[in-house]
Amino acid sequence: MVGIILIIFSLLALGLDYYIFQKFFRRRKILKQLYITQALIFDIGVFVWLIYAILLRTSTTHDNLHTQILQWLMFLFILSFFTKVLVSLCMLAKYLLSRIFKSTNFKWLNYCALASATLLAGVMIYGATYGRNAIRVERVTLYFDDLPEQFDGFTIAQFSDTHLGNYRPKTTIIERMVRIINSLNPDIIVQSGDLVNIHSGELSERFMEHFSRLKAPVYAVYGNHDLGYYIKDNSIDPAQSVAELTAKERAMGWHFLHNQAQWIHRAGDSIAIAGVGFPRDGRVSVKPTNLGLSDLKAAFRDIERNQFAILISHSPNMFDSVPDVANAALTLSGHTHAMQAKVKIGNWQWSPAAWVYPMWGGVYEKDGRYLYVNEGIGYALYPMRIGTRPEVTLIELRRKTTPKIP
């Protein structure tokens, strides 16, 4: 299926080249030569990407070097493909307007095509450089009727989806993230999965050293990438990789929650922090290991429904299943990355992730329960973030107050 999709997009890229050349560059000698040159470069890149991706799916070796190569080839393809789509739309608009108004006074659309394609390319290049490395802090305040009094003002710093294999051996972004989180002085820290990209070896001693500098207690869960689903190297055992990753996280002093809960106490009041594994929802089909499956009943077995609880689940899709089992006032998730592309205007936002995940980024509320989906630190599929820079979230919990009756 993936191979078929890649072939379709590759053929579309060739079709766009032919269309743009015929409509725009055929009679301009210098521009014609420039366009043919770039078309050859990018189209050859498309086929290299296609062949490489297909070979990678059939290979028995899949490490982060291969992943990095594929991701950057994907970026080059996206850069080329979508700029050409934009130019083609401008050319189509010119053609339709010329036919409707029986006029040739729409040549200005040629310049609009070039300007818009240049702008789009600039945005993508920005997203692949500064945009994917500049961490932002999202501050959120949530109000609850049943929050214990001693936890009024309790703060949680959340980070997610670091995908460490994409950064090795550089630790710069993790160093910066740790400094930012510590500067926020949270009461606890939540890591909501996908610490690594493929296997436990990515969590090196250098990364562990930086993570160990986090000052507040850290609560962590498995993400799908943590569970060995994407290991294709026969020399690495997925179960052993998961065990090693868990041991490393605990060695850093993190509280690792796999279908279990822990309690936080304050002057006679307490709240529960529960964590579940990644649900096998059918989309993850590479090398099934049956590791890390989610079990809400196990996670909440010692938590009464009238007790205030927070759930950490890598997948936001777990949010709708919670009421059937427990009464988690707040669920903290990641996983979606907002598909690393988002448009936000005021309080309105949209991402292609909405085509896959109904709850893909930010705050959601249902029947007094809240879900927060962190958009992640790292990246997957392509090394680019547009409109959704790496995120650290600071969530403040507050008690609802009843207004006084005069």
Side-chain angles (χ1 to χ4, degrees), residues 75 78-79 82-83 119-129 384 386:
F75 168 72
I78 290 172
L79 178 66
F82 284 102
T83 51
L119 178 62
L120 179 60
V123 169
M124 289 185 176
I125 292 170
Y126 174 88
T129 51
M384 176 181 69
I386 298 175

Side-chain angles (χ1 to χ4, degrees), residues 96-116:
L96 292 175
L97 289 172
S98 299
R99 286 299 185 95
I100 292 171
F101 295 101
K102 308 298 182 182
S103 172
T104 59
N105 295 326
F106 297 100
K107 291 183 179 180
W108 56 270
L109 279 170
N110 294 349
Y111 302 102
C112 286
L114 285 175
S116 57

Side-chain angles (χ1 to χ4, degrees), residues 327-344:
N327 185 28
L330 172 62
T331 300
L332 300 175
S333 299
H335 187 51
T336 70
H337 302 207
M339 212 167 279
Q340 292 156 222
K342 180 176 75 173
V343 177
K344 186 173 183 180

Side-chain angles (χ1 to χ4, degrees), residues 181-336:
I181 291 175
N182 285 338
S183 72
L184 298 173
N185 195 30
D187 291 297
I188 65 169
I189 300 167
V190 164
Q191 194 279 325
S192 47
D194 278 2
L195 187 66
V196 298
N197 203 36
I198 298 175
H199 57 76
S200 62
E202 299 166 25
L203 182 55
S204 65
E205 291 184 5
R206 288 186 64 194
F207 279 124
M208 291 179 68
E209 179 183 348
H210 294 300
F211 281 128
S212 296
R213 292 173 184 166
L214 290 167
K215 295 178 181 179
V218 180
Y219 295 83
V221 297
Y222 291 128
N224 50 305
H225 282 260
D226 299 323
L227 292 168
Y229 294 159
Y230 308 104
I231 292 175
K232 299 188 75 174
D233 189 337
N234 291 331
S235 67
I236 302 175
D237 178 63
Q240 183 178 350
S241 176
V242 174
E244 289 176 354
L245 180 63
T246 308
K248 286 181 176 181
E249 293 189 35
R250 287 178 172 152
M252 293 188 295
W254 292 12
H255 303 273
F256 191 81
L257 302 175
H258 178 47
N259 299 326
Q260 61 193 121
Q262 293 186 9
W263 292 87
I264 299 175
H265 303 281
R266 272 189 172 186
D269 283 338
S270 59
I271 63 174
I273 308 291
V276 293
F278 184 79
R280 297 300 300 276
D281 58 5
R283 282 190 291 271
V284 177
S285 59
V286 180
K287 201 166 188 172
T289 61
N290 293 321
L291 299 171
L293 298 180
S294 60
D295 189 340
L296 278 169
K297 289 184 179 179
F300 283 87
R301 62 176 170 263
D302 297 323
I303 304 172
E304 301 294 334
R305 280 190 173 268
N306 62 346
Q307 294 173 316
F308 190 91
I310 296 171
L311 173 66
I312 310 171
S313 167
H314 182 63
S315 172
N317 290 345
M318 293 293 293
F319 180 63
D320 289 330
S321 302
V322 173
D324 298 333
V325 178
N327 185 28
L330 172 62
T331 300
L332 300 175
S333 299
H335 187 51
T336 70

